[in-house]
Amino acid sequence: MARKAEGRGRRRHHSRQAPAPAIDPTPRRYRIEALGVSGDGIGRLTDAGVQQAAPVFIPYTAPGDEVLACSTGKDRATIQEICVAAPERVTPPCSLFGTCGGCSLQHLGPEWILKWKTTEVLTGLHRAGAVDLPPAASFQTPPASRRRADLAAKRKHDGVILGLHRRGGDVVELTECSLLHPDIVRLLPALRTAMERLDLFRREADLVINLLDSGPDLLLASDAHPSTADRTKLAAFCKSHCISRLCWKEKASQENPEILVQLAPSVIAFDGVAIEPPSGAFLQASREGETAIRTAVLDALPPSTGRKAKIIELYAGCGTLTFGLSTHARVEAYEGHPGAIEALTRASAGRNITPHLRDLNKQPVEAKELSSALAVVLDPPHAGAGLQMDDILDARPGVIIYVSCNPRILYRDTERLLKAGYRIDALTIIDQFLWSAETEVVCRFSHSSKKREKTNNK
């Protein structure tokens, strides 16, 4: 505030900024040495007479490729021609690959991708200080299994485009998809037609489709409010396509969505327990990936120590892991999303579960509570556990089971945990986001001093 006050009333001097350096459009030949963490190829110029200070990142390339590419910025380039194709290259299964902005690695085979992801995770953990890793289990979800779609819609003069954003560009119509569950893909043409006739959609809208056990569950965010006619049209649409619930909110609004259509309960089951999640709720990308994560977590639990044993679950969501954990010990489940914890509370009535609504970034579970847990299980968002990690380190529970959707954050936290006396004694790598660079990892950390205490008390 002081700096703002000092500037008041003074004459402003505008300095002319130096123009950005021009981008050379000349195609140059690069050899791709490896893939970067985002899945783009790391290219080096093949011309020995040209100096290259840093590598150039080129999307849709493979290690071993030699390509002609044009610069698009300081360290970026766009492929123009494949001069020599790497032996690992395959024909992409989807004609929209490279256009729709969804998948980034369809030019490589699934087996190669899983091996690459496994190597990347092991390398990252080694760099974090893990020198004695256990054998890593791995799992890969099949094509056409993704049950969640986050789509964009744009109204044009001749209709509506419904699909994904190309890299840094406009919406591309999703006419096919090798990743999404067929039930979602089949719904898209009818959705596109229905949206053309809605008053609530003027220029842009977002659409989240969750494929629940009860069928598609829709959340529409648009730039205008629904009319009476809209409500009638959407009710008829949902009835025709067996959609149990359709909710709406104003685009960019933080308010809870309004239920426009509810024809039946919107339900999904976790470990045989039916949940009614809030509209647009987070789900693991596929049922197969969810099962792989749950299996890795439950297998990593230490033996129960009796009726007083408790598991503290952080970032519990709607209960993806909670009900499985509750068959092992009492669960104290913490989650910051009000709708998710409400759904979990309803479903956990009479069970060995105590749900807690808490924003763990602002009010972490304290070390005193964590230290008494049989195990701490956490599945944080992409940004990581934040302040909560400090209390975990202070508490030093005997076992920590860490589910990570962001390996770079996992490596950072691993380094801290290893310095605090933990070791990794179970590791599962899950390629749940097929044909992308994203990876899910489940790590079991155990603390050596806790092991000694248990041994001495026997």
Side-chain angles (χ1 to χ4, degrees):
M1 293 297 292
R3 288 190 178 184
K4 289 184 179 180
E6 287 174 4
R8 288 174 185 166
R10 293 187 179 183
R11 184 178 178 181
R12 296 181 179 179
H13 297 276
H14 297 283
S15 58
R16 182 176 295 176
Q17 293 182 350
I23 295 174
D24 184 359
T26 306
R28 298 186 182 277
R29 185 158 174 155
Y30 296 86
R31 179 172 178 81
I32 307 303
E33 299 178 339
L35 295 187
V37 293
S38 65
D40 293 342
I42 301 173
R44 292 278 182 182
L45 287 169
T46 59
D47 187 349
V50 178
Q51 291 187 347
Q52 182 179 351
V56 172
F57 294 92
I58 309 174
Y60 313 123
T61 55
D65 278 348
E66 288 194 17
V67 302
L68 284 178
C70 294
S71 175
T72 56
K74 180 181 178 183
D75 60 354
R76 313 292 300 178
T78 299
I79 187 170
Q80 300 295 307
E81 179 185 345
I82 300 173
C83 304
V84 178
E88 292 80 15
R89 271 193 171 270
V90 300
T91 301
C94 180
S95 66
L96 293 178
F97 174 65
T99 302
C100 79
C103 301
S104 58
L105 296 174
Q106 279 194 12
H107 59 295
L108 291 162
E111 291 183 3
W112 190 95
I113 294 171
L114 180 59
K115 184 178 179 180
W116 171 68
K117 290 186 178 185
T118 300
T119 301
E120 287 289 300
V121 171
L122 294 177
T123 300
L125 292 173
H126 280 305
R127 287 175 179 167
V131 295
D132 186 22
L133 286 171
S138 62
F139 177 83
Q140 188 173 55
T141 57
S145 63
R146 189 173 177 92
R147 62 183 178 185
R148 179 183 174 94
D150 292 86
L151 305 176
K154 191 166 186 177
R155 191 180 290 279
K156 298 284 189 177
H157 68 279
D158 56 349
V160 168
I161 296 175
L162 179 62
L164 300 172
H165 282 279
R166 70 176 79 234
R167 282 193 174 196
D170 212 342
V171 182
V172 176
E173 189 165 341
L174 202 62
T175 54
E176 63 175 296
C177 184
S178 301
L179 190 63
L180 288 174
H181 192 285
D183 287 353
I184 295 179
V185 177
R186 280 193 291 266
L187 185 62
L188 297 182
L191 270 168
R192 196 177 290 113
T193 300
M195 293 181 73
E196 290 179 356
R197 304 167 182 169
L198 296 177
D199 297 325
L200 60 78
F201 172 36
R202 292 176 180 168
R203 291 178 297 276
E204 296 181 342
D206 296 324
L207 179 66
V208 176
I209 305 173
N210 274 341
L211 189 59
L212 306 182
D213 295 343
S214 55
D217 185 54
L218 275 55
L219 173 59
L220 179 62
S222 65
D223 52 7
H225 287 254
S227 65
T228 302
D230 284 341
R231 296 172 188 270
T232 302
K233 292 172 186 175
L234 289 171
F237 173 81
C238 290
K239 187 175 181 180
S240 297
H241 294 87
C242 300
I243 296 169
S244 59
R245 180 176 62 181
L246 188 151
C247 295
W248 169 87
K249 68 174 184 177
E250 191 171 3
K251 193 172 168 65
S253 171
Q254 299 300 314
E255 296 183 4
N256 290 331
E258 176 188 351
I259 298 175
L260 295 187
V261 182
Q262 180 91 61
L263 302 179
S266 294
V267 174
I268 188 168
F270 299 134
D271 285 292
V273 180
I275 303 285
E276 294 187 48
S279 180
F282 168 80
L283 296 177
Q284 293 296 343
S286 67
R287 175 66 77 179
E288 294 86 348
E290 176 190 289
T291 300
I293 293 170
R294 185 187 295 111
T295 299
V297 169
L298 297 182
D299 287 350
L301 289 172
S304 181
T305 56
R307 288 189 302 173
K308 292 186 178 181
K310 71 175 178 181
I311 297 168
I312 293 182
E313 183 189 10
L314 307 173
Y315 311 98
C318 295
T320 305
L321 303 173
T322 313
F323 298 97
L325 294 173
S326 69
T327 64
H328 195 80
R330 179 168 58 91
V331 179
E332 301 285 335
Y334 292 86
E335 169 57 41
H337 189 285
I341 206 69
E342 182 181 344
L344 177 57
T345 300
R346 287 196 304 265
S348 60
R351 300 179 184 273
N352 207 19
I353 300 167
T354 306
H356 302 271
L357 175 61
R358 185 180 296 192
D359 185 343
L360 298 174
N361 293 323
K362 297 179 180 178
Q363 189 184 1
V365 179
E366 295 181 356
K368 181 180 179 181
E369 181 74 10
L370 295 167
S371 62
S372 62
L374 173 70
V376 172
V377 178
L378 68 155
D379 185 2
H382 195 265
L387 291 176
Q388 183 63 74
M389 204 65 208
D390 295 337
D391 282 277
I392 292 173
L393 287 162
D394 289 342
R396 297 196 181 185
V399 172
I400 299 169
I401 304 173
Y402 194 137
V403 182
S404 172
C405 63
N406 185 348
R408 280 174 280 185
I409 298 295
L410 174 65
Y411 306 150
R412 181 197 68 188
D413 290 341
T414 293
E415 185 175 4
R416 298 178 69 191
L417 288 164
L418 295 174
K419 288 179 179 178
Y422 284 91
R423 67 185 297 271
I424 298 174
D425 50 20
L427 174 64
T428 302
I429 297 163
I430 300 167
D431 183 12
Q432 183 176 207
F433 305 98
L434 196 62
W435 294 314
S436 81
E438 302 297 326
T439 310
E440 200 93 21
V441 185
V442 181
C443 279
R444 183 188 195 269
F445 295 88
S446 60
H447 198 280
S448 55
S449 65
K450 296 289 183 179
K451 284 187 173 183
R452 287 197 298 271
E453 288 172 13
K454 290 181 180 179
T455 301
N456 295 335
N457 290 334
K458 287 184 179 178

